Structures are given as structure tokens and as C-alpha cells.
Amino acid sequence: MERGRRVPRDSSIPRLPITILEGVCDYCGCCVGVCSADAIELRASSIEIDEERCTLCMKCVHACPLGALLYQGTLKIEGKP
Amino acid sequence: MNDRYDVVVIGAGPAGSVAALGIAREGFSVLLLEKDPQVGIPVRCGEAVSARSLEALTDVDPHWITATIRRFRLVAPSGAMVEPDIGGHGYILDRVRFDGDLARAAVDAGAVLLTDAYAYGLVTGANGFEGVLYEHEGECRRVSARIIIGADGVESRVGRWAGIETAATLRDMECCTQMTLSNIDTARDTCTFYFGSAIAPEGYLWVFPKGDRQANVGIGISGTAAQKRRPISFLREFVSSHFPGAVVSRVVAGGDPCAETLRRITAQNVVLVGDAARQVNPLSGGGITSGMQAAEMAARAVVRALREKRPSRLSEYPREWRRKIGAKHRTYYRMKEVVRRFPDAALDDIAERVLRLPPEKRTLWGVFKTALVHHPSLLWEMVRTFHISLSD
Ligand SMILES: Cc1cc2nc3c(=O)[nH]c(=O)nc-3n(C[C@H](O)[C@H](O)[C@H](O)COP(=O)(O)OP(=O)(O)OC[C@H]3O[C@@H](n4cnc5c(N)ncnc54)[C@H](O)[C@@H]3O)c2cc1C
Ligand code: SF4
Ligand code: SF4
């Protein structure tokens, strides 16, 4: 088993309703520390949420000291306008 | 570079470097992986430590010290200030130098340090975990290890990969923002702590002096409070009202997991140390020296396990940690829970009463007694502050 590697996205899965404000994020890891789903991939200066693992618990959105994670409240389906 | 080591350590913070040093100097091969391009940068830390704790761990290099702390100033919500005599001293470190030197000591002892190396998974085999997957220079690599140490900080994932639930609750995660200010007037030997729901709900705000007219000014509040208003928003308001002419040289975010130590800090041949194991003092949020202490214990257990080829020896580490520090942290955690519930009015009242004491009685003990008599639960608040950097 190899964990942590990103898998190609299945486009039938709804797009994640969390937006990361990359210009605001400081890559501090506070969000990763509260995520029970191991869904956040945080490198030295990049951050990604794995949509397939994320359970939309919103803990990361609440914990971010800078407010860099925004919940949009609606599910967007990729491919649809 | 080898693709096989006795031990791979993930994360070159204080805990990872101390663990790597302890194992490498016994002659075992160690690879230390760090995702950042340079060890110690960025600094997401107030940098305060107790002199006593640090001196027990290492010879203190004067270059690490930006200020020596001899006084605490506690500011109640009303603005009333109490300056208890702290009966010891602390340091504000330069963690760029400090973390860098700790990593260098590990390298000097024979460890191999690789920066820009991001671990993204473990390799599972028949006998536990066989190695680590990491990215370096855009390439995915794999390294085999007999024992793997997760020293990957608050953002730790190594424990999860090994099957340990490590996520902190919102209540326990102190969500932090810190500014390094220059061009300010602040006493060079005094750490100031501000309490109260308007300044730092479910946490505190700190001003730690750093050398010449500089200070780390930061805030940590629980995730449940941060959800209502961001730490950065509280901090901006504080800085503009308290340090109007300040030059802000750096702004960082951070998470401080003020939880009890994880129930499991080893899983087969995987060992967690430092913030990754939630070994922060949950009352003060201080985790530099406690992480280093844990790393020393872990290194001893790892060395025994390697020498005797008996992974079961690793279990000596959690046992030693619980006995020597974990049990205390459990008590501090309970104290934190009490402090959290303390209303602003009670904090103000105790500050008033302490200020009515003659100056020579304004020792920490004087504060304790006043607190104990008038507001028994305030005792915890004082203990909390006392433990911030002067004790463990
Ligand atoms: C704002 C703030 C203020 C604080 N103030 C104080 C204080 O005044 N005094 C005090 O004692 N403590 C303080 N703390 C706590 C203290 O900073 C930590 O407890 C301490 O740094 C923990 O050390 P560590 O080695 O466990 O983790 P860290 O120092 O966080 O090191 C972990 C390392 O692992 C690396 N890493 C993470 N994931 C990976 C990966 N996948 N692959 C490779 N590398 C990885 C990281 O880049 C990092 O370098 C504060 C914390 C915060 C957030
Ligand atoms: S908590 Fe916020 S600032 Fe920190 S890494 Fe996550 S999104 Fe970025
Ligand atoms: S919403 Fe929950 S599961 Fe999804 S990334 Fe954030 S913390 Fe993890």
C-alpha cells in the first residue's frame, strides 16, 4: 500500500466546495493538523485538498488562522457551467 | 545516495534533529528528510524556552539567544498588570540558528540531511513499514528503513499513514498568527501575556522581546474561537493599538496542538516525536524542549531496538515518555480546560487584589495565594502562565 500519492481525479465526483486562497495561505499546516481524513497535501509552498478523501467536515476552514480557506456552500459539478 | 538506511526521520525541526543525532552517533545510518528548502525557515514560533529545560538538553550556544527573560507581565482584560517574580529565567531563541545548529549536529554525527524532500507516504511490507516515499527535485523516490520516525510537526501525517488517529480537535488546536515587529519600545527582559475574550478568546496573546527594539507578537486561540473571528484579525487590532509605529518584518501563521499526548506514539516500526505526537505542553503551548526530550527518549529506544534487532524494544519510549512527562501534560491539559472557562471579570478581580498586595509579596506565590483564596480556579491561570517558558 502506498499512501499519500495523488490519484487521477474521477470527474464524476462533485468538485470540492472549498476554495484555497493561495495568496493568503502561509502553508502553516494548522489545517492539516485538524483534518481527520488525511485529505490535505501541504508542501513547502503549495497546498491541495484531495476531493476524494475530503469529508467536508469543515474543520480546516474553521481552523485556518488567516481565513485562507473559503467554503462556498454549493456543490459545483465540473464540466457544467 | 543510499536507498537503504537504518532509520529515516521525517521532519528536521528540533525533535527530528535531536532524534537523528541520538541515533547517528551510535553508529547507525540515518536519513533526515525536510520538506522546506532550508532547515529552520520559516519560524512559526514565539521562540521562548525555559533556561533550565534547555540547559538540561544541550550546551546553550550564546548565538541562539536573542533575549534573556527575567520578568513576566500578566495583563488582565481590564488592563491591570501583574508582575509576579518568576524566580528563574528563560530565553527567547533565534530558531533559524537554533534549528540549523541542531540539524548540523545530527549531520556531524553522521546523519544525511536532505532538504526540499517532501515525504508523501510509507511503503508497507510483510513486516511492518519498509520505507518512505518522498519527492525531491521533482522526482519521486523511495528509501528503505528499518525504523521510521515521524517528526513532521503539527501537520504530521506519518502517524496516520501508520494507522494512528492524530487529528487534533478544533477545541485543542490553538490557531496562531505571529508578527515580528521592529522599531518598538519593549522591555528586553520581559515577556508580556494578555488575557481576555476581547483580545484572545480561549488562548492568549504574547509579546516576547527579541533583541534590539524587536519582538515576536503573536496570538493563539482555539479553533472554536478562530471559527468566529480569525487570529490575524485580533492581532492586527492589537498591534495597531499597542504598537502604532511598528515595522512589521514578518507575519506567519501556525498551529499549536495543545492536546494530550496521542494515546499511541508508536505503531510497529514507526515512532512519532514532538508536535507529531502532540507532545506540546497543552497549558502553555510550549513544545520546543518537550519535543527534544521526547526525541532523546525515542532515540534511546530506537538504538536498543536496532542493536538487539527487536522492534518490541521501541515500546520503552512511550513508557518513559508517559512516566516522565506525559502524566504531567495530562494534568496541564485538565488545567487548561478549567482556565478556558474563566470569565473576564474574575481575571480582572484577581489582578486588582494582587495589585493591592505590597510589592514584595507580588511573587508568583503571592499571586497564587490571592487567587486561591478569592477565586480558587484562577490558580490554574497562574500556573499556566508560569509554565509558559520557565518550567515544564
Ligand atoms: C505561533 C506559535 C508559537 C509558538 N511559540 C512557542 C514558544 O514560544 N515556545 C515553545 O516552546 N514552543 C512554541 N510553539 C510550539 C513549537 O513551535 C513546536 O512545539 C515545535 O516547533 C515542535 O517541534 P517539532 O520538531 O516537533 O516540529 P517542527 O518544528 O514543526 O518541525 C517539523 C518539521 O517537519 C517538516 N515536515 C512536515 N511534514 C513533512 C513531510 N511530509 N516531509 C518532510 N518534512 C516535513 C516541517 O517542514 C518542519 O520543518 C509555538 C507554536 C506556534 C505555532
Ligand atoms: S491553515 Fe490556512 S494558512 Fe495554514 S496551511 Fe492551512 S490554509 Fe494555509
Ligand atoms: S473539510 Fe474536513 S476532511 Fe475536508 S480537507 Fe478540511 S478538514 Fe479535511
Side-chain angles (χ1 to χ4, degrees), chain A residues 4 6 39-43 46-49, chain B residues 118-120 157:
Chain A
R6 291 193 51 78
I40 309 178
E41 200 80 47
L42 175 79
R43 292 176 176 76
S46 77
I47 177 168
E48 282 173 277
I49 297 180
Chain B
Y118 173 71
Y120 65 88
R157 294 172 66 204

Side-chain angles (χ1 to χ4, degrees), chain A residues 58-69:
Chain A
M58 294 300 126
K59 278 168 74 183
C60 59
V61 173
H62 295 324
C64 176
L66 306 177
L69 302 174

Side-chain angles (χ1 to χ4, degrees), chain A:
Chain A
M1 186 194 66
E2 296 188 357
R3 293 291 315 274
R5 201 196 259 291
R6 291 193 51 78
V7 276
R9 238 182 56 75
D10 174 348
S11 59
S12 67
I13 293 173
R15 224 189 107 208
L16 191 78
I18 299 172
T19 299
I20 303 170
L21 303 174
E22 289 258 3
V24 175
C25 175
D26 185 42
Y27 314 109
C28 73
C30 189
C31 53
V32 186
V34 296
C35 176
S36 313
D38 191 25
I40 309 178
E41 200 80 47
L42 175 79
R43 292 176 176 76
S45 51
S46 77
I47 177 168
E48 282 173 277
I49 297 180
D50 185 327
E51 319 180 352
E52 287 169 50
R53 287 204 197 139
C54 173
T55 60
L56 290 181
C57 72
M58 294 300 126
K59 278 168 74 183
C60 59
V61 173
H62 295 324
C64 176
L66 306 177
L69 302 174
L70 292 183
Y71 176 62
Q72 274 139 3
T74 50
L75 286 175
K76 283 192 210 137
I77 310 294
E78 204 167 72
K80 294 195 179 165

